[in-house]
Amino acid sequence: MNLRGLLKNALVRVLAVSFTVAVAAAILGYLHERESAENGSIRMLRIEARRIVPPAILELPSPQREHALAKAIEGMVGGIFSVAEVYAADGGKIAEAVQPGFDDIEEALKKLPHGAPPAHGGYDSAMVLGHQVLRVFTPLATTQGTVIGHLEGVRVLDDIELANIRQSAFISALLAAASVLVCALVLAPLLTDLAVKNFRRAQSLLEAHIGILEALGRAIAKRDSDTGAHNYRVAWIAARLGEEAGLGAAQMRSLIAGSFLHDVGKIGIPDAILLKPGKLDAEEFAIMQQHVELGGQIAGEAGFLVNAREVIEGHHEKWDGSGYPKKLAGEAIPLAARIFCIADVYDALRARRPYKEPFNRDKALHIMREGRGNHFDPALLDRFECLLDEIETRAILAGEEETAALMREMAHRHFFSDAEAA
């Protein structure tokens, strides 16, 4: 996990989100300003309707009302509106008034629908003969609430007015976008500081977890060997083979955790059996085998150790299915367990144990090759042999402090990787 990479990713994400929100705010601000301008025309039409068409006109009998409406709407044109029309409830035109010079607009409007507007009025916008035309509608209702039709005012927007509306909308859009970006700039340092603090807390917690793995591993290893170096060696050898096998970041972390804790179940095995210098009899060996199941139970009860279970429960399985406890065979054995099995057996052959002296490299390799295809995954054993010179030099022949440092570097690389930060 890399702090610089974490901050870079966080900053990129903040900027990306801020830019997206700013664009959305700009679009919404632009549309809102345009709608506000059009709503202003609706309000003006309503005011004009109340002024020019008083309720008394709508109470008149039909012929008189139509004549009065025709006279009334003549006062609407020439100012805000270029065309004014009154329609009956059935959609038939009752009267119209047209400002001089806009007859062609009025004629073209006949092709547009003139249905009854909503109870609160409404508007629409259209291009008519190359002009931006805003039609606003308001219902005409008597004092008893009976709707007898609606009034339609047509406003032809000239280039100057359109430019003013667009400029106002554009300014609103810029202000909305700028507000978002300024907030992002103000919040960015705070978010960065929070990200750094969270990173350091996560790093400390992860360091603590690795420390627990190391401590448990050393304690377990020292129960049946004279040094805790065994755990560092097998963990590093397994991790190195895992790298060579192309394991992903999460798989590597599980492999390393499982390597440290592979024999955690030996906590429940009596010393008389665990430390017996000679060969175990059948009953003793059956008890010894229980450490796999015990280890799985222990790991399963600790949340951050769950990912180690594949190695703990599977490292005594054999490629031909003759291992224990589940007698899995071939690729049914988890890959991490197959990898660790090779590392564990080779280190056991090369190490001093209560029941044996260490074998030299050639004898250990000979025994490993005899297990190819029955004990070990053949492809993994081939990869292991390619790494043997490095394994011997850096792990088998190294002291405990050197091996511990080597394993800590390996753990740091895979537990604190950029992939983890992403």
Side-chain angles (χ1 to χ4, degrees), residues 42-183:
I42 294 176
R43 288 191 295 272
M44 286 187 284
L45 175 60
R46 288 175 178 170
I47 293 171
E48 286 289 275
R50 286 195 296 269
R51 181 179 68 83
I52 293 174
V53 187
I57 292 180
L58 304 179
E59 304 293 340
L60 295 173
S62 180
Q64 293 176 279
R65 181 176 63 213
E66 292 173 3
H67 178 72
L69 285 170
K71 294 292 292 183
I73 63 173
E74 289 178 1
M76 286 184 63
V77 299
I80 298 172
F81 300 101
S82 302
V83 179
E85 298 175 329
V86 178
Y87 288 87
D90 60 5
K93 185 184 290 186
I94 295 175
E96 67 179 12
V98 182
Q99 182 180 346
F102 289 90
D103 296 282
D104 55 342
I105 295 289
E106 194 279 330
E107 185 65 26
L109 289 172
K110 294 178 181 179
K111 299 177 182 178
L112 300 179
H114 299 277
H120 54 76
Y123 69 90
D124 67 18
S125 182
M127 290 298 296
V128 178
L129 301 180
H131 297 280
Q132 183 74 34
V133 170
L134 182 66
R135 295 192 304 162
V136 288
F137 317 96
T138 188
L140 297 175
T142 64
T143 53
Q144 288 77 32
T146 303
V147 176
I148 59 94
H150 72 273
L151 178 63
E152 182 176 318
V154 178
R155 188 176 182 186
V156 180
L157 304 177
D158 59 28
D159 292 341
I160 295 176
E161 188 172 9
L162 277 173
N164 288 337
I165 291 174
R166 288 169 182 161
Q167 182 181 22
S168 179
F170 183 69
I171 291 173
S172 295
L174 285 180
L175 289 174
S179 298
V180 172
L181 292 176
V182 168
C183 287

Side-chain angles (χ1 to χ4, degrees), residues 310 317-321 328-338 376-380:
E310 284 190 347
E317 301 288 357
K318 295 183 179 180
W319 184 255
D320 63 2
L328 301 177
E331 293 186 358
I333 306 170
L335 178 57
R338 282 181 271 148
F376 309 116
D377 179 335
L380 287 176

Side-chain angles (χ1 to χ4, degrees), residues 223 269-280 284 287-288:
R223 284 209 64 207
I269 303 301
D271 286 350
I273 295 174
L274 187 65
L275 302 179
K276 183 177 178 179
K279 186 177 181 180
L280 301 179
E284 291 169 334
I287 294 173
M288 177 65 83

Side-chain angles (χ1 to χ4, degrees), residues 235-354:
W236 184 85
I237 294 169
R240 185 67 190 87
L241 182 54
E243 290 179 332
E244 193 68 16
L247 267 61
Q251 292 174 303
M252 286 297 300
R253 291 191 286 273
S254 297
L255 174 60
I256 291 170
S259 299
F260 273 122
L261 300 177
H262 65 282
D263 277 340
V264 66
K266 287 184 177 179
I267 291 173
I269 303 301
D271 286 350
I273 295 174
L274 187 65
L275 302 179
K276 183 177 178 179
K279 186 177 181 180
L280 301 179
D281 61 31
E283 183 179 352
E284 291 169 334
F285 187 63
I287 294 173
M288 177 65 83
Q289 287 180 329
Q290 294 175 7
H291 82 275
V292 175
E293 183 179 353
L294 291 171
Q297 292 173 357
I298 292 170
E301 293 169 0
F304 76 98
L305 301 181
V306 171
N307 292 336
R309 290 187 66 174
E310 284 190 347
V311 172
I312 294 171
E313 295 179 336
H315 71 282
H316 283 296
E317 301 288 357
K318 295 183 179 180
W319 184 255
D320 63 2
S322 63
Y324 67 89
K326 298 180 180 179
K327 297 192 178 299
L328 301 177
E331 293 186 358
I333 306 170
L335 178 57
R338 282 181 271 148
I339 290 172
F340 180 79
C341 176
I342 293 173
D344 190 37
V345 172
Y346 186 78
D347 186 74
L349 293 172
R350 295 286 281 121
R352 177 178 284 101
R353 291 296 174 87

